[in-house]
């Protein structure tokens, strides 16, 4: 699902709101999450998950094509950890599906 589809679904579930207002709300929420992460804060949405920033130190990498060592700068990367309620819902939904049967293995 992309952001425009999310906005459309929320607008369908809330016919009293204009789609442009829903889009402004979604953008405001996402902008606040990004701003909080940029400040180094952690954003926790109970039942959904938590956004945080992980810092990766500088290191020496390797160009896979040439094997040459190249410096890789330090960087900050966003990290998302799902909440317990979301994991339980996702696993509960998959438990109701038909069990998967492993494909027969090819003889070697």
């Amino acid at each position: 699902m992309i952001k425009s589809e999310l906005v459309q679904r929320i607008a369908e579930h809330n016919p009293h709101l204009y789609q442009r207002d829903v889009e402004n709300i979604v953008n405001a929420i996402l902008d606040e999450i990004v701003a909080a992460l940029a400040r180094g804060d952690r954003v926790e949405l109970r039942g959904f998950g938590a956004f945080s920033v992980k810092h990766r130190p500088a290191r020496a990498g390797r160009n896979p094509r040439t094997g040459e060592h190249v410096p890789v700068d330090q960087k900050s990367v966003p990290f998302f950890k799902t909440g317990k309620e979301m994991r339980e819902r996702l696993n509960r939904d998959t438990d109701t599906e038909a069990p998967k049967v492993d494909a027969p293995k090819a003889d070697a």
Side-chain angles (χ1 to χ4, degrees), residues 71-91:
V72 178
D73 293 336
Q74 70 177 9
K75 61 178 97 174
S76 300
V77 292
F79 179 75
F80 177 74
K81 181 176 180 185
T82 58
K84 181 180 176 184
E85 185 179 324
M86 179 191 286
R87 281 193 308 273
E88 289 173 352
R89 279 185 73 178
L90 290 174
N91 289 320

Side-chain angles (χ1 to χ4, degrees), residues 30-103:
L30 296 177
D31 289 345
E32 262 320 297
I33 291 172
V34 171
L37 292 175
R39 289 191 306 267
D41 295 340
R42 182 173 186 264
V43 178
E44 183 176 333
L45 304 172
R46 295 283 167 109
F48 183 73
F51 296 91
S52 60
V53 176
K54 293 210 177 210
H55 301 284
R56 295 190 180 159
R59 62 184 175 86
R62 189 179 67 83
N63 182 334
R65 183 176 294 172
T66 64
E68 175 186 1
H69 289 280
V70 293
V72 178
D73 293 336
Q74 70 177 9
K75 61 178 97 174
S76 300
V77 292
F79 179 75
F80 177 74
K81 181 176 180 185
T82 58
K84 181 180 176 184
E85 185 179 324
M86 179 191 286
R87 281 193 308 273
E88 289 173 352
R89 279 185 73 178
L90 290 174
N91 289 320
R92 183 181 66 223
D93 291 345
T94 58
D95 290 343
T96 59
E97 293 177 5
K100 294 181 181 178
V101 178
D102 291 334

Side-chain angles (χ1 to χ4, degrees), residues 1 3-23 26:
M1 174 182 291
K3 186 166 65 168
S4 60
E5 292 171 341
L6 175 64
V7 167
Q8 184 177 359
R9 286 223 181 144
I10 293 172
E12 287 171 1
H13 289 291
N14 297 283
H16 60 284
L17 296 174
Y18 292 112
Q19 186 166 342
R20 68 176 179 270
D21 293 336
V22 173
E23 186 173 0
V26 169

